Amino acid sequence: MKLTIERAALLKSLGHVQSVVERRNTIPILSNVLIEAGSGAAKLTATDMDLTIVEEVGCQVAEAGATTAPAHTLYDIVRKLPDGAQVELDVQGDQGQMRLKSGRSTFQLATLPKEDFPATQANDLPQAFSLQGKELRELIDRTRFAISTEETRYYLNGIYVHATSGEADSDGGTKHLRGVATDGHRLARFEMPLPDGADGMPGVIVPRKTVNELRKLIDETDGGIEIALSETKVRFTFDSTVLTSKLIDGTFPDYERVIPSGNDKMMEVDRKAFASAVDRVSTISTEKSRAVKLSLADNTLTLSATSPENGSATEELEISYQGENIEIGFNSRYLLDIAERLSGDGAQFSLSDSASPTIVQDAGDTSALYVLMPMRV
Amino acid sequence: MTERSEPARRPTALCRDCLVLFDGKPADGRCPHCQSPRVVGHPELASLSVAHLDCDAFYASVEKRDRPELADRPVIVGGGRRGVVAACCYVARIYGVRSAMPMFKALERCPDATVIKPDMARYRVEGHRIREMMEASTPLVEPISIDEAFLDLSGTEALHQGPPARTLAALVRRIEREVGVTASIGLSYNKFLAKIASELDKPRGFAVVGEAEALDFLSEQPVGAISGVGDRLQTALSRDGITLIRHLRRYEETELMARYGAMGRRLYAFAWGRDPRPVAPNEPAKSISGETTFDDDVDDPAELLRRLWPQCERVARRLKAADLAGQSVTLKLKTRDFKIITRAHKLSDPTNMADRLYRTAEPMLRRACDGRKFRLIGIGAGDLTAGVFADPPDLLDPDRGRRKQVESAIDAVRQRLGDHAITKGRGFKPGR
């Protein structure tokens, strides 16, 4: 195998694929990137066995062939090469070495045979639909902060993506594609009109690592993203990249049960003013609890925090509220997370009592919905 | 007291039996009042106030107290067939038995020894009684283990109507009379020197290291006498030609720090007889843990889990007793070749429930089981916070509240009827 490639193009693709490779690997081949040189392009593949990325990058191929080389080392070398450099990758015979040459630098890298690289098969993905880059970004951005990191609840370690049947939806009969994430303290749900081809799709849990990698990769994707999935795998195809991931093998809890339906105390507040006030007041709350108390009275919201070490803080906000007086405590971190993920000017809170879950949404936009568990203050 | 009527001179000798203070150690070394030979004399006796109190062969002493027929026999307290010597009486020490020695080795040296399995609960009860007596002498008690503590008695002269040395002698006399075990005292002006001093005159000793003599005294002490200098550091030090404490004085503080890191700073201060650490009572715990060593190595995950559960219960009980909750859970395993493996997991919120500790440790344990055999398992809760934050209600787990209630109910029953009165299925052993 022998090919020549521009440093910038190689760096970009390696940057994408090396990110999937785990830093510490017990299986040596998983530290490597598979490089396959075909006609006028090279295919780079990296995997951690759950998540596989394939990226194609244009180059001059003098001799077709394939090998595998250490992904992080290769990436670090290319990163340190000067701008505009040409990189030559060369494998001669089967001596287990790849030569990398650029300008006056030469590296010899240990390789492993391409046959050892695990093949991932994902041929049978019956359900296929497409989303715009912007849509998929929003689905992720609005929900992923609530993904649980608790390994014991592995079925919460991802975003649950599924299609609604339309009957129970708020706008009566329109079917939606939904992303849901929760860690037991808060729940995030985002929905958009169901794209063609997604009807009847199985509900799938996309793992956190896949979500994070995908989000990085599509940061600048303008065009469409092809999504194909089965009950066990999902594949995203966009630009010159294909990302294939296993799905979490578990049952996402019946989250609808968690969303309260009888919350009748409605409060509307300016989103940005609210976020800044929470941020200020929470300076006082203890590192451990981060508790902030919300006291609602006629059109006035008082935020307060106390800590035995730091003292206390209060701030008043003008709100729209006519219900009976209520006091409720929340983790300020969670309030800020949600305030950041809303997009409109006003945030609408639906409350029941100080011990029951509260709903937060954009005023006048139901696409994103957040449920937040209160804490004792 | 007659001694106090001569304020110009401070007493320099003390009888540890009748607690009388006098000036100057008599020529025959006996107390002028009661003729006891247990007189301690030192020019700075009345001005030193930092002490290290260490019970002598504590576990073995408690056993001997309860079985007087063993009084003059070698006694070793230690775990089962294997394991190590937890404590050995001074008779056993004559044969060369030392604590922390592997049991088989100890029995090679002293085949006639009476071996007793440790009964930690009993030792802990006695340890607490001793702790209470210490706390009656001064509020500044810094416990190191159940039978050992630093005490700072500065400012207690008026309260006890006598210098710290006398209060300490009265304290060990009371421990001997009421608890029935002996203890040794090291008295000096800082913790480091007090700790070294308590070893000098063991057992039933009382050693004093004053400010005037500290540098000379330290000169000939081996570096190993410094607490915190273990085998490894000692090896490193001797490679650099440092075997005695005075050898440390050849170097500047910065040089020692460059070589031995943060410890270098301590070594430098110690070498010059300084120790800035105050006696700090009740340092809040950073973590709470429990562990157990098996009689036979175990590799079966199910069996390991069975051994883990009682430790989870133990840690949870201690967390609840201290009104604390831990947010990080650490699983500890020791392989048969003494390699320690730890796995940690941070929870989304703190817990003090045995059930949650167990559920968190379980997947970590299953992953750690790779056919290796283990000799020890333990679990710890770290990142401690107030108990009120423990196990908040969870959107998806309405049962958590119920499990919490079940655990509180079990705790309540145990409080009244004892630990074995009720147990969870996973802790149940038929025929217990």
Side-chain angles (χ1 to χ4, degrees), chain A residues 76-271:
Chain A
D76 286 343
I77 293 171
V78 175
R79 192 167 51 82
K80 293 170 184 173
L81 291 174
D83 249 352
Q86 292 288 317
V87 185
E88 187 190 287
L89 300 178
D90 188 0
V91 179
Q92 293 307 327
D94 48 357
Q95 290 148 17
Q97 297 251 307
M98 178 174 81
R99 191 181 65 185
L100 182 155
K101 232 180 127 184
S102 178
R104 295 184 177 192
S105 320
T106 307
F107 297 84
Q108 294 282 352
L109 295 172
T111 62
L112 289 169
K114 66 173 193 294
E115 292 74 25
D116 293 358
F117 199 84
T120 41
Q121 288 168 353
N123 302 321
D124 190 25
L125 302 176
Q127 198 93 33
F129 58 93
S130 79
L131 290 175
Q132 290 303 301
K134 186 171 157 290
E135 292 174 313
L136 187 53
R137 277 197 294 274
E138 190 168 14
L139 181 91
I140 294 174
D141 292 346
R142 297 278 200 125
T143 53
R144 75 164 151 172
F145 70 96
I147 297 175
S148 169
T149 52
E150 196 112 33
E151 281 176 61
T152 46
R153 297 160 119 185
Y154 60 95
Y155 47 86
L156 298 182
N157 297 164
I159 298 179
Y160 177 54
V161 181
H162 68 121
T164 65
S165 62
E167 289 143 24
D169 289 27
S170 48
D171 47 359
T174 314
K175 293 181 177 181
H176 287 102
L177 180 71
R178 269 186 189 168
V180 184
T182 179
D183 63 4
H185 301 294
R186 56 257 172 93
L187 177 141
R189 188 191 84 185
F190 182 74
E191 63 186 22
M192 61 179 85
L194 196 66
D196 287 340
D199 203 359
M201 69 171 269
V204 295
I205 309 168
V206 185
R208 182 178 55 242
K209 181 174 175 186
T210 305
V211 169
N212 290 339
E213 291 301 323
L214 177 65
R215 182 62 187 82
K216 274 190 273 179
L217 293 167
I218 63 169
D219 201 33
E220 286 159 3
T221 303
D222 296 323
I225 293 163
E226 300 298 325
I227 301 168
L229 55 82
S230 68
E231 281 181 4
T232 55
K233 277 190 172 148
V234 63
R235 185 172 64 215
F236 302 89
T237 309
F238 50 94
D239 305 332
S240 50
T241 308
V242 180
L243 192 70
T244 311
S245 170
K246 277 193 196 159
L247 295 162
I248 291 175
D249 183 11
T251 310
F252 200 80
D254 178 10
Y255 69 89
E256 295 281 6
R257 220 166 30 98
V258 169
I259 303 173
S261 51
N263 287 10
D264 54 352
K265 303 187 178 63
M266 309 304 240
M267 181 266 271
E268 205 179 305
V269 61
D270 181 87
R271 179 172 69 92

Side-chain angles (χ1 to χ4, degrees), chain B residues 188-219:
Chain B
S188 189
Y189 59 94
N190 65 33
K191 293 206 304 196
F192 152 67
L193 282 162
K195 168 98 179 160
I196 292 186
S198 71
E199 287 293 324
L200 295 177
D201 193 25
K202 252 180 176 304
R204 214 176 171 224
F206 197 117
V208 184
V209 177
E211 282 197 80
E213 73 202 300
L215 286 185
D216 286 340
F217 165 75
L218 284 174
S219 281

Side-chain angles (χ1 to χ4, degrees), chain B residues 44 47-51 152 154 186-195 197 208-215 218 269-277 279:
Chain B
E44 295 175 44
S47 59
L48 299 170
S49 59
V50 176
D152 184 347
S154 338
L187 177 64
S188 189
Y189 59 94
N190 65 33
K191 293 206 304 196
F192 152 67
L193 282 162
K195 168 98 179 160
V208 184
V209 177
E211 282 197 80
E213 73 202 300
L215 286 185
L218 284 174
F270 288 174
W272 294 100
R274 293 193 294 266
D275 179 4
R277 297 171 302 164
V279 175

Side-chain angles (χ1 to χ4, degrees), chain B residues 79-93:
Chain B
R81 280 198 284 116
R82 62 174 207 200
V84 294
V85 175
C88 52
C89 74
Y90 283 82
V91 181
R93 289 187 201 200

Side-chain angles (χ1 to χ4, degrees), chain B residues 84-123:
Chain B
V84 294
V85 175
C88 52
C89 74
Y90 283 82
V91 181
R93 289 187 201 200
I94 295 170
Y95 295 90
V97 179
R98 295 286 175 268
S99 58
M101 184 179 270
M103 208 49 153
F104 73 91
K105 218 172 191 173
L107 288 174
E108 258 169 35
R109 297 195 179 182
C110 185
D112 295 339
T114 305
V115 176
I116 301 173
K117 264 193 110 166
D119 180 358
M120 291 310 293
R122 212 160 96 244
Y123 310 148

